Structures are given as structure tokens and as C-alpha cells.
Amino acid sequence: MTILVTGSAGHLGEAIVRTLRAAGRPAVGLDIKASPFTDVVGSVGDAAVVARAMAGVSAVIHAATLHKPHVATHANQAFVDANVTGTLTLLEAAAAAGVKGFVFTSTTSAFGAALSPTAGEPAAWITEDVQPVPKNIYGVTKVAAEGLCELFARKRGLAVVILRTSRFFPEADDDADARAAFDTANAQANELLHRRADIADIVDAHLLAVERAPALGFGRYIVSATTPLLKSDLSRLRWDAQGVVRRLYPEAEALYAAKGWRLPAELDRVYVNDLARTDLGWRPKYDFAHVLDAVRAGTDFRSPLAREVGSKGYHATAFEDGPYPVG
């Protein structure tokens, strides 16, 4: 099975192509930017380019996108062109080619305002049943692209799996207050409690989705590290997240202190990956328990793949200087 991977010069696309090539599996990389992992250079919105890339392909992983940090650098129309028109162009070509499966990389940012409870409310328990309330053009266009994917599954019989991925980027947080409160490694370790996944687990979810797409026909899944947090913890997470973590992992605070790290005082959301683990057979390896094991052993908690793809971010280099849009 030859898999077309869009966004192959980007952080996720490169990781997927790297993984496929390392396993000896054929892949075609498509990106507007040339790279060692890009076979076809051009836009996903260009039908001729997409047709050329689609030749001989059995499945598509559509990872190319404009991301939230691009809100600061790109016009709204650019998001429509890349995220909506580009997705439509690929869906049309995939349906015409009769591919066996189409995997669309979406985002938990699609939930938007649903992720931010007001003061006094419990933390949000985020499952696939939560309705999106997009907060910016990025979220709007990703939700629109998801709608196109569902339409093609229903009307054209294209097997489509949508993966709403949580954070996996290497950059520092796009919230200035969060960047000031924690160094990047500490923040990202904390996020594995409730809103992050390692890129190796993200890649694994995509490859499982390709395999499962024909049997599923259509599916939409949250892809985030398995949380140890419980629904019964939601109220306390807003005012004593540290206490919740201490109950679950009594040694965590001491392990953190030895590194000069701190546990989070408050958490506002918890992503739940139950459906992805059930339907895709996905078993993410890099969770908060893994972080503590790595800290105890004095090793890097990131996967070998995360270290291999390095710090390349949304703009080819790590996107670490503000201002950032907060959303």
C-alpha cells in the first residue's frame, strides 16, 4: 500500500514519512516546500499537482495545514485556501482514484471556547460528543474541512477517519503567561496529564487509522495521551491540580523538585482518548507515568522519534517569539 502524506516537509508529515520509510513501506510526500521527505512539490489546492501525487496511491494522510500560530502571520483567506480548498481538492482526487482510506489530521483546537470553562466551573471533560465552538479562523477552517470529510464519506463512500490531535509541537506555549510560568520541558511534561501526546504516538494513531478506515467507513477521534485523571477530579482540578496529581503519583512532587520543575496549580480541560483506543486499537506509550519514569531514570521523556525530528516547528524553525494569538 502506497500512502500519500501531505505536509511532508512539516513536523508531523516528516515524522510520518520517516516512520513509513524506516519500515520499508512506500510513501509519497507532498508539500509546497522541498525537503528530503517530499517527492512532489506543490500545493494541495492545485488539482494538477494533487492528481500527479495521487497516481498509484492506495491511501491518503492529509497532515498539511495552516496552524493556529499562523493566525499571526497569514490572512484569513490563506487559511480557507489551505485548510478548506486544499482538503476539498484532495478529497475529490482521492474519491476519483478509489483510495481505500483517507485520514484527516484535525485538531482539538476545533473545540474552541468549549475548552475554557468560566470561573467556578469544573474543568471540561472533552470527548467526541463535545460540540465545537471555534475561536479563530484556524478552528473555523478545520471544522469546515472535517465537514467536507464527513460529506465525502456519506455521499461518495470514501472511507475517512478524522483525528483531532492534541498538542505535539516542539515549540513553547503560545500563551505568554504559560511561557512565563514554566520552562518548555516542564510545561510539556505537565501537559501529558491532560492535553498533549508525543509525536510517535500521533504517528502511530495515523497509521492505525489508515488500516482501520475501510472497516470504519467514517470516524472522528480525539488523539491525546491517556489521562490518569478521572471525571470525579474535574472540580478539584480548577483549584488544586497539584493535590490530584499527588494522590495519583505520591512521588511526583519530589521527582519534579529535583529537576526544578513544578506541578500545575490548575487544569481547565481533560482530553479523553477512550474512543480512539477502542476503535483504532491505539495504545499510546508516552503518558505522564512515562514522564515520571524518565525523570527517575534521568532520561529524556520524549520518544526517539520526537528527538529525531527535533525542534522544527510551524515555520520550519521553532516558533518561539511572540506575539501569539491566544485561543
Side-chain angles (χ1 to χ4, degrees):
M1 175 189 288
T2 299
I3 301 174
L4 171 61
V5 181
T6 70
S8 57
H11 189 58
L12 176 58
E14 175 184 320
I16 293 171
V17 176
R18 274 182 183 268
T19 302
L20 289 169
R21 289 182 180 176
R25 299 174 63 181
V28 175
L30 168 62
D31 203 290
I32 58 172
K33 180 180 178 181
S35 82
F37 303 92
T38 300
D39 303 288
V40 179
V41 177
S43 169
V44 292
D46 186 324
V49 168
V50 169
R52 187 165 77 250
M54 197 72 68
V57 163
S58 301
V60 176
I61 296 177
H62 178 28
T65 192
L66 282 184
H67 295 273
K68 190 180 78 169
H70 293 119
V71 174
T73 57
H74 290 65
N76 287 346
Q77 186 62 53
F79 280 85
V80 174
D81 294 344
N83 296 352
V84 181
T85 303
T87 301
L88 177 59
T89 303
L90 281 161
L91 287 166
E92 292 278 14
V99 303
K100 296 179 180 179
F102 188 104
V103 178
F104 175 63
T105 309
S106 190
T107 172
T108 50
S109 288
F111 291 112
L115 300 172
S116 303
T118 59
E121 289 186 338
W125 187 253
I126 303 299
T127 70
E128 289 79 3
D129 293 331
V130 174
Q131 292 301 305
V133 187
K135 293 174 65 176
N136 52 41
I137 190 65
Y138 172 53
V140 167
T141 54
K142 295 302 279 188
V143 170
E146 286 189 16
L148 289 171
C149 288
E150 188 167 6
L151 180 68
F152 270 72
R154 188 170 66 250
K155 296 292 189 180
R156 302 283 292 274
L158 181 64
V160 177
V161 174
I162 296 167
L163 301 181
R164 283 186 174 165
T165 59
S166 66
R167 293 181 170 192
F168 60 86
F169 49 79
E171 295 97 327
D173 199 290
D174 61 0
D175 184 324
D177 291 338
R179 294 199 305 276
F182 298 94
D183 70 37
T184 300
N186 187 175
Q188 293 180 356
N190 289 345
E191 287 171 352
L192 283 167
L193 279 165
H194 70 127
R195 64 176 299 179
R196 172 172 284 272
D198 188 276
I199 195 166
D201 285 331
I202 296 283
V203 169
D204 188 42
H206 280 75
L207 299 183
L208 286 168
V210 166
E211 294 174 6
R212 293 288 297 142
L216 292 168
F218 177 77
R220 181 186 284 110
Y221 303 98
I222 290 171
V223 176
S224 191
T226 304
T227 181
L229 304 172
L230 305 174
K231 205 169 185 179
S232 57
D233 294 323
L234 295 179
S235 292
R236 191 175 180 186
L237 288 174
R238 295 304 304 280
W239 59 273
D240 186 25
Q242 293 175 350
V244 174
V245 176
R246 287 190 206 102
R247 186 196 79 226
L248 295 167
Y249 303 102
E251 77 282 20
E253 197 163 35
L255 289 170
Y256 261 43
K259 284 184 67 69
W261 285 3
R262 291 180 295 111
L263 294 170
E266 175 185 355
L267 300 179
D268 64 350
R269 74 198 67 175
V270 178
Y271 294 143
V272 182
N273 70 8
D274 292 358
L275 193 60
R277 288 189 290 121
T278 298
D279 285 7
L280 302 180
W282 183 52
R283 298 293 180 265
K285 301 175 182 177
Y286 298 91
D287 55 12
F288 190 71
H290 169 80
V291 168
L292 296 182
D293 287 342
V295 172
R296 192 180 293 108
T299 59
D300 192 331
F301 66 83
R302 297 175 301 163
S303 67
L305 180 62
R307 298 195 294 272
E308 187 176 16
V309 297
S311 61
K312 180 177 67 176
Y314 296 119
H315 291 256
T317 57
F319 196 80
E320 293 179 350
D321 296 322
Y324 295 83
V326 177

